[in-house]
Amino acid sequence: PCVVVCALACVQAWAAPPLPRLDADETATVSGLSSGAYMAVQMHVAHSARIKGAAALAGGPYYCAQGSLWSAYYNCMKPGTFMPLPSLATLKSATDRLAAAGRIDPTANLASARAWLFTGTRDDTVAREVVEELQAFYAAYKTATVLVRDRPAGHAMITEDAGNKDCGATRSPFINDCDYDAAGALLQHLAGPLAPPAASPAGRLLGFDQTPFGGYEISMDDEGYVYIPKDCETQRCRVHVAFHGCRQGRSAVNDTFVREAGYNRWADTNRIIVLYPQAIARWWWVYNPSGCWDWWGYTGAQYHTKEGAQVRAVMAMLSRLGERPK
C-alpha cells in the first residue's frame, strides 16, 4: 500500500497544473497549419455560433477527406486527374445536411464570420488549389475571406524572424522566417483592429493538464499550453486557439511552436488568451504516426461535427477558460 500511495503522490507531483478559469469571453477565433488548419476549419464550421473566425495555412475545405485517410493524403493534399478534389457542390451539400440535422451549428452564422487563408508558392505538401477551394467554400457562405498566395514559402508557419532561415523550406520545426508576420496578419483580420505587438512576450506561458479533456485515447498529449497576458489574469479577455501541424506538437518539437509561431507578442497588447492544444502520435488502435489533428476520421465517423472527440475536447477547454475563478 505504501508503494502505491508513494507512486500516486509522485504522479500528482509531476502532473501539470489544471487549465485555469479566467472568465474569458465565450466566443473565440481559431487558426492552424496543415492538419491544424483543417482542424481550425472544422472547429469553425461545427461551432460557428461561438467560433467567430478561422485562419488556415495550407489547409482545405471542410469535410474534404470525407472520412478517408486515402482521400486526405491524395485528394485533399495533392489532387490530380485521377484523385481530384471533392467538388464544392458535394462538400457544401454535405455541410448543409449536417446543419439541418443539428450536428453542426447553422451555416447562416458563417455570413458574419471572417476567414484568413495562406498558401506558399513553394509549398509542395498541400497544393494551392486545395486552399483556393477552401476560399470558394467560405465564399459560398458569404464569409469575409482573405487569401494570401504571393509569398515564396514552404509548408510551415510563416513568421517575421523566427524558425528556418530558408523561407521555402519544408522541415522541422515547420516554422519559417519569411519576413512576414502571419500570426499578426491573421489576428488582425479575425479580431482586429489591434494594437501593435509587444517587443517580446511578457505574459505567462503555462503548461496545463490536458487529460481531463481527452488524452492519449484520442491522440491528444497529456499536456497542452496556454499563453496568458498579464492583463488577462485580472480582466476579461478574448481567446484564440492555435493548432500546430503534424510533427509540430510538444512531443515532436517541445514548445517551439508555442513560443515561436508569433501569436504571443500580439496577445500581450490586445488582451488575447492563446490556447495551444496538443496532439500526439499514435500507432495502435488509433493510427496517427505524425501527431496530426484528426481531419480524416481516426477518432470516429463524427470527427468533423460537434460530437467529434477532439472538437469536444477543445470546446471543453474553451468552456473552462470562460468559467469564473473560484
Side-chain angles (χ1 to χ4, degrees), residues 50-280:
R50 287 186 63 184
I51 307 299
K52 298 300 185 180
L57 293 89
Y62 178 73
Y63 197 41
C64 185
Q66 300 175 76
S68 166
L69 175 58
W70 177 274
S71 295
Y73 187 76
Y74 292 103
N75 304 72
C76 298
M77 292 177 66
K78 300 177 180 180
T81 302
F82 300 106
M83 295 168 290
L85 267 167
S87 72
L88 178 61
T90 296
L91 298 178
K92 187 175 186 301
S93 177
T95 305
D96 292 342
R97 287 196 302 272
L98 290 169
R103 294 171 61 195
I104 63 174
D105 281 349
T107 56
N109 296 328
L110 296 172
S112 60
R114 288 175 168 265
W116 185 94
L117 317 177
F118 182 95
T119 177
T121 63
R122 295 173 64 185
D123 188 338
D124 296 325
T125 304
V126 175
R128 173 183 291 196
E129 65 188 281
V130 175
V131 183
E132 290 174 340
E133 181 142 321
L134 174 55
Q135 180 187 34
F137 177 88
Y138 273 125
Y141 291 105
K142 297 181 171 57
T143 305
T145 306
V146 167
L147 172 58
V148 179
R149 51 186 168 188
D150 61 349
R151 301 283 168 166
H155 190 69
M157 181 68 196
I158 306 308
T159 73
E160 197 166 33
D161 56 14
N164 298 312
K165 295 307 178 184
D166 178 4
C167 179
T170 297
R171 63 175 181 268
S172 186
F174 305 99
I175 298 171
N176 289 358
D177 176 358
C178 291
D179 299 322
Y180 181 72
D181 187 354
L186 70 88
L187 286 173
Q188 289 181 90
H189 181 67
L190 300 183
L194 299 180
S200 60
R204 177 165 61 117
L205 179 60
L206 175 69
F208 69 91
D209 183 4
Q210 216 174 230
T211 58
F213 307 100
Y216 188 66
E217 72 281 359
I218 59 169
S219 206
M220 290 183 66
D221 206 336
D222 288 344
E223 188 173 325
Y225 296 100
V226 62
Y227 183 78
I228 308 169
K230 289 181 179 179
D231 287 347
C232 300
E233 303 278 4
T234 56
Q235 302 177 54
R236 173 165 285 187
C237 289
R238 295 175 283 185
V239 181
H240 182 80
V241 184
F243 292 101
H244 62 74
C246 304
R247 293 182 288 163
Q248 202 179 35
R250 184 179 77 104
S251 61
V253 299
N254 297 313
D255 61 1
T256 302
F257 178 79
V258 173
R259 292 187 181 278
E260 296 187 3
Y263 296 94
N264 300 340
R265 294 189 306 121
W266 288 92
D268 266 348
T269 53
N270 292 283
R271 290 173 52 192
I272 300 173
I273 297 164
V274 187
L275 177 66
Y276 295 97
Q278 298 291 297
I280 196 169

